[in-house]
Amino acid sequence: MPKYHAKVFVTLKPSILDPQGRTVERALSHLEHHNVSSVRIGKYIELSLSGERAEVEAQLGEITASVLSNPIMEDARWELEEVK
Amino acid sequence: MPKYHAKVFVTLKPSILDPQGRTVERALSHLEHHNVSSVRIGKYIELSLSGERAEVEAQLGEITASVLSNPIMEDARWELEEVK
């Protein structure tokens, strides 16, 4: 059965405040990195799946939307790559 | 002055246990996703920088290693893209 490696990127929607990112931005500014702005902190999830490609893609879309992210506040996208 | 958009990916080193990933994996298994394994949860950070490319690259490398990740436990890589 084919095996796949998936990468999922979860980011807060642009309209949602990101206090963690704001804190990192302020810390960087204190460290003299004044040219850094718009720091946003999201999640990067790696997972392995086995099965037929079309089924795995549908499954990954469902997992991403229902378990790995909160569609009310977050955007999510994924990449799938077959493991040879 | 050129502006850049950076993406930083921070992952736990392969030898470090990931209890959060393990918990997600177990939750997925309870939801009948038995073909999912090796769930690892990392961070995905987006930021904007301005300056000359060579300086921004050096700065981003330093920020990634010293502020955004813990090199003892985590691996980090980054991508830099000029904003037109």
Side-chain angles (χ1 to χ4, degrees):
Chain A
M1 204 184 284
K3 285 190 173 291
Y4 297 90
H5 184 245
K7 299 174 181 176
V8 180
F9 307 86
V10 179
T11 49
L12 283 171
K13 283 188 193 287
S15 59
I16 305 282
L17 284 177
D18 181 356
Q20 192 184 359
R22 195 69 197 79
T23 302
V24 170
E25 201 174 310
R26 242 184 340 242
L28 289 171
S29 176
H30 285 302
L31 295 167
E32 309 300 328
H33 295 294
H34 299 298
N35 60 332
V36 177
S37 61
S38 310
V39 180
R40 305 281 289 176
I41 300 189
K43 281 181 290 184
Y44 170 63
I45 302 149
E46 294 180 321
L47 57 160
S48 299
L49 301 101
S50 57
E52 294 311 320
R53 180 149 200 134
E55 284 168 35
V56 167
E57 285 186 352
Q59 185 187 10
L60 184 57
E62 193 206 312
I63 289 174
T64 297
S66 65
V67 179
L68 302 179
S69 73
N70 169 0
I72 310 282
M73 295 175 63
E74 293 169 329
D75 291 322
R77 65 186 177 81
W78 50 264
E79 291 171 8
L80 194 65
E81 196 174 274
E82 188 164 355
V83 180
K84 303 290 179 192
Chain B
M1 204 183 286
K3 286 190 172 292
Y4 297 90
H5 184 245
K7 298 173 182 176
V8 180
F9 308 85
V10 180
T11 48
L12 282 171
K13 283 187 193 287
S15 59
I16 306 283
L17 284 178
D18 181 355
Q20 193 184 358
R22 196 68 196 78
T23 302
V24 169
E25 201 175 310
R26 242 185 338 243
L28 288 172
S29 176
H30 284 302
L31 294 167
E32 308 301 326
H33 295 293
H34 299 297
N35 60 331
V36 177
S37 61
S38 309
V39 180
R40 304 281 289 175
I41 300 189
K43 281 181 291 183
Y44 170 64
I45 302 151
E46 294 181 320
L47 58 160
S48 299
L49 301 101
S50 57
E52 295 310 320
R53 180 149 199 134
E55 285 168 34
V56 166
E57 285 186 353
Q59 184 187 12
L60 184 56
E62 193 205 314
I63 289 174
T64 298
S66 65
V67 179
L68 302 180
S69 73
N70 169 1
I72 309 283
M73 295 175 62
E74 293 170 329
D75 291 322
R77 64 185 178 81
W78 50 264
E79 291 171 6
L80 194 65
E81 195 175 275
E82 187 163 354
V83 180
K84 304 290 179 190

